[in-house]
Every structure is written in structure tokens, then in C-alpha cells.
Amino acid sequence: MDLQQKIRTLPTSAGVYLYKNAQGEVIYAGKAKNLRSRVSSYFHEGRVEDAKTGTLLREAMDVDYIVVANEKEALALENNLIKQRKPRFNILLRDDKTYPYVKLTLGERFPRVYVTRRLRKDGSAYYGPYFPANLAYRIVDLIHRHSFLQGGPQSISPPPLPAVLHQAVSRSLCGGPDHARDLP
């Protein structure tokens, strides 16, 4: 089956498509709300004359796809595939920039929670990626307001125990830190 025929059989759901060269190497990864429509758009008039698209289509011998539940999953999967495979025609997401994650440092005496864009094998728990990016910051802010976990990648010593107890008592018994002054 040639490339054009294969494209006509693609599903109309969201997903990630992978153009491959004659050696089977991924040369381009892209995301789509509708796989069939997006991949076939490369062959419309005018697209082949574009230098990058024309070269891509001349080298592409096959196309694979991965179906996902929605556009956000496609975005995350595309990002991860580009980082792993480093396709020649994807130039924007090959660097170290990525979507933000929430990091919980489990290996420390006083665990911290903060936003990071770098995943490391350091024994910490990572949650994400988050779209839009400010969602990760809002989640960390929520965690800091409602827990004793500290933030920031810098090392911070724990708060003194009386301050921690005062904060816990004022939040749970008085309805918040503003009512703590009403305590006997």
C-alpha cells in the first residue's frame, strides 16, 4: 500500500502521526485533532512547493499513528516522542524545554513541592505535564497553602515546631490563619 492509500485509511480521531523514511527512522512527528484530515493536508496544492514540506514528503515512505483520547494527550505524546526520537524535521521541541511538572522531593528529610521542567531519576515523584503551564504553578500554590510541604528548589530548613503547631491549630480549629488571634 502506498503512502496516499494509507493516509486514506487513517482514523478521524485525535492522535500523533509519525512520518518515516526508507530506513524506518522517524523523520517527523506531529499531533492532530483529526489524523486523516491533518496528514492528508500535507498533500494539498501549494504545500509540496514549500521547501521543508516538499523535502519531508520526498523522504517520507511510510506513516504510522497513535490514537489518543483528546488533543491534550496528543500534545503531551508528541512532545515526548520528539524528545525521545529527535526527528530531523522537528526543530522546535528538540531542545531541553518541556512542559512543567510538579516535583515532590521524597528523598529529603523535609519534602518539598515545586514546579520543574527537568525530569531526573533522583527518587522524587513527578506529576504532569500540565497544560497550560500556569496550572502547575497554581497546583503548587494550592499545596503550599494547605499543607506543611515547603517549596522551591533551594534548601530550606523546617519551620520551628511551635510555628507549625500554631498554624495547624489555627487552620483546623479557627477556620483559617485570620482567626488565630481569637484563640485564648
Side-chain angles (χ1 to χ4, degrees):
M1 180 183 316
D2 77 334
L3 191 58
Q4 293 276 5
Q5 289 175 325
K6 188 168 188 176
I7 290 170
R8 283 189 216 100
T9 66
L10 292 176
T12 57
S13 52
V16 173
Y17 55 94
L18 307 166
Y19 278 116
K20 294 182 175 184
N21 63 11
Q23 292 77 34
E25 299 167 338
V26 175
I27 58 174
Y28 185 77
K31 65 188 171 308
K33 185 196 281 189
N34 178 328
L35 284 165
R36 185 183 311 156
S37 174
R38 177 67 183 117
V39 175
S40 65
S41 74
Y42 283 89
F43 295 92
H44 293 163
E45 283 186 42
R47 292 294 305 263
V48 180
E49 285 88 33
D50 178 66
K52 178 184 166 190
T53 306
T55 306
L56 169 66
L57 295 178
R58 280 190 292 281
E59 288 188 30
M61 296 294 146
D62 193 16
V63 64
D64 282 340
Y65 62 91
I66 303 167
V67 175
V68 296
N70 56 50
E71 291 175 76
K72 289 185 179 183
E73 285 184 21
L75 182 64
L77 180 58
E78 177 198 33
N79 180 40
N80 290 337
L81 287 171
I82 290 171
K83 301 258 185 272
Q84 290 171 0
R85 308 263 176 111
K86 299 191 183 336
R88 203 175 81 135
F89 288 93
N90 291 98
I91 55 173
L92 294 178
L93 293 176
R94 282 194 297 194
D95 57 9
D96 286 341
K97 292 181 183 170
T98 186
Y99 297 102
Y101 289 80
V102 174
K103 179 177 181 178
L104 172 61
T105 59
L106 298 173
E108 298 176 355
R109 185 169 174 205
F110 302 102
R112 294 174 288 133
V113 172
Y114 59 94
V115 175
T116 184
R117 291 181 183 265
R118 298 194 189 273
L119 301 177
R120 294 193 172 103
K121 293 181 182 177
D122 59 359
S124 297
Y126 292 90
Y127 303 94
Y130 288 95
F131 315 106
N134 71 357
L135 180 59
Y137 291 94
R138 293 186 345 234
I139 288 171
V140 167
D141 183 55
L142 181 74
I143 291 169
H144 288 163
R145 280 190 276 132
H146 297 285
S147 74
F148 295 118
L149 294 173
Q150 297 186 28
Q154 68 277 7
S155 180
I156 301 174
S157 61
L161 189 58
V164 170
L165 289 175
H166 177 72
Q167 184 181 25
V169 169
S170 67
R171 282 188 178 167
S172 62
L173 297 178
C174 304
D178 294 337
H179 300 290
R181 63 181 171 272
D182 299 336
L183 282 177

